[in-house]
Amino acid sequence: MKENDFAELAHSVKEAAAIYRGEEAPSRIFHFDAPDIKKIRNGYQLTQSEFAALLGISTATLRNWEQGRRKPEGPAMALLRVAQKHPHAVLDSLLNHTEK
């Protein structure tokens, strides 16, 4: 590795550590709005219990998401985004999986 490249990498690591410790502000922050879960569920024409079963979550979790008491994170958020944009893919993948 070239000396200049190493110096730049070392600087980036130090900067990341300072941001992590709250000593510096990040240069940019990305915010992703939570999808409208009730609207997605209604698009599937499923009850809360049915939609929760399709996603593999409890009805209480789905209810909390829909009422804004909690927000989906990580894989659940990703699955909801796919469910919103590609409902047929989700139905095909998840319904066929549960029937086997």
Side-chain angles (χ1 to χ4, degrees), residues 10-69:
H11 174 74
S12 293
V13 170
K14 288 177 184 175
E15 185 178 27
I19 291 169
Y20 179 77
R21 290 188 302 266
E23 298 167 358
E24 269 186 52
S27 61
R28 60 185 177 259
I29 298 173
F30 297 95
H31 295 280
F32 298 99
D33 294 330
D36 185 339
I37 298 161
K38 187 172 183 179
K39 184 177 179 182
I40 296 170
R41 179 177 60 82
N42 287 336
Y44 282 79
Q45 298 178 339
L46 297 174
T47 65
Q48 284 183 333
S49 297
E50 292 168 337
F51 194 59
L54 179 71
L55 297 179
I57 60 171
S58 71
T59 304
T61 296
L62 180 64
R63 192 176 301 118
N64 284 332
W65 290 349
E66 287 189 359
Q67 294 175 0
R69 289 192 295 257

Side-chain angles (χ1 to χ4, degrees), residues 77-92:
M77 178 67 85
L79 179 57
L80 287 166
R81 289 189 187 286
V82 173
Q84 183 176 25
K85 290 187 177 196
H86 306 286
H88 296 295
V90 170
L91 288 172
D92 182 51

